Amino acid sequence: MKILVINGPNINMLGIREKNIYGTGDYSFLCTLLKEKAKEENIQLEIKQSNYEGEIVNFIQEAYGNVDGIIINPAAYTHYSIAILDALKAVDIPTVEVHISNIHKREEMRHKSVTAAACVGQISGFGLKGYLLAMEGLIDFFKNKK
């Protein structure tokens, strides 16, 4: 199985930005966590991050025919990016949306996810562990599909 992890704007600033919300683990720590879990589960993993909506759309389109699943944290784009939603729908790759914080306990503008409609599930509020839960969710999704 091959999984692509896509991180949106400011995720590269983990460990620096709003530690009370996102914790103290930096982006490198997140990538290490994901790589260790992937190795443990015998999964090929690719991790990408961009602060640009169009580049995220390109990552999704390039995944078509090349990966089995996507884990995405669209960050702020979650709440208004029809372009990312449309890209996810176009490639039709099982996707899990992840949010480090609980978006439903934050400002009202963060409560709505536009992109979740194209996902098989959403995980929110479990910190960086949410990414690991998303990976487990995709593993289970494919096991149950057989």
Side-chain angles (χ1 to χ4, degrees), residues 97-124:
E97 182 176 287
V98 173
H99 298 286
I100 297 166
S101 68
N102 182 345
I103 62 174
H104 304 286
K105 289 185 86 174
R106 295 186 63 195
E107 306 95 328
E108 190 172 333
M109 67 183 179
R110 297 183 194 274
H111 295 184
K112 171 87 170 129
S113 170
V114 171
T115 51
C119 298
V120 298
Q122 180 191 67
I123 297 169
S124 159

Side-chain angles (χ1 to χ4, degrees), residues 10-87:
N10 298 308
I11 302 299
N12 59 315
M13 299 299 287
L14 288 174
I16 298 169
R17 68 184 285 222
E18 301 173 282
K19 294 176 188 176
N20 60 320
I21 295 174
Y22 299 104
T24 57
D26 65 11
Y27 189 67
S28 175
F29 178 72
L30 170 61
C31 293
T32 299
L33 276 179
L34 286 164
K35 289 173 187 173
E36 287 173 357
K37 177 73 170 172
K39 185 176 181 181
E40 186 181 298
E41 298 289 350
N42 198 28
I43 291 172
Q44 286 182 280
L45 187 70
E46 189 173 354
I47 304 170
K48 297 186 178 207
Q49 188 276 329
S50 180
N51 295 317
Y52 300 99
E53 183 180 32
E55 190 169 28
I56 293 169
V57 169
N58 287 342
F59 293 159
I60 295 166
Q61 290 177 355
E62 290 162 4
Y64 183 75
N66 294 311
V67 303
D68 301 297
I70 296 173
I71 296 169
I72 188 168
N73 182 342
Y77 291 130
T78 300
H79 315 293
Y80 63 88
S81 180
I82 304 300
I84 292 173
L85 170 68
D86 287 348

Side-chain angles (χ1 to χ4, degrees), residues 125-138:
F126 290 99
L128 300 183
K129 185 171 183 175
Y131 287 86
L132 306 179
L133 294 170
M135 194 178 296
E136 290 173 14
L138 281 174

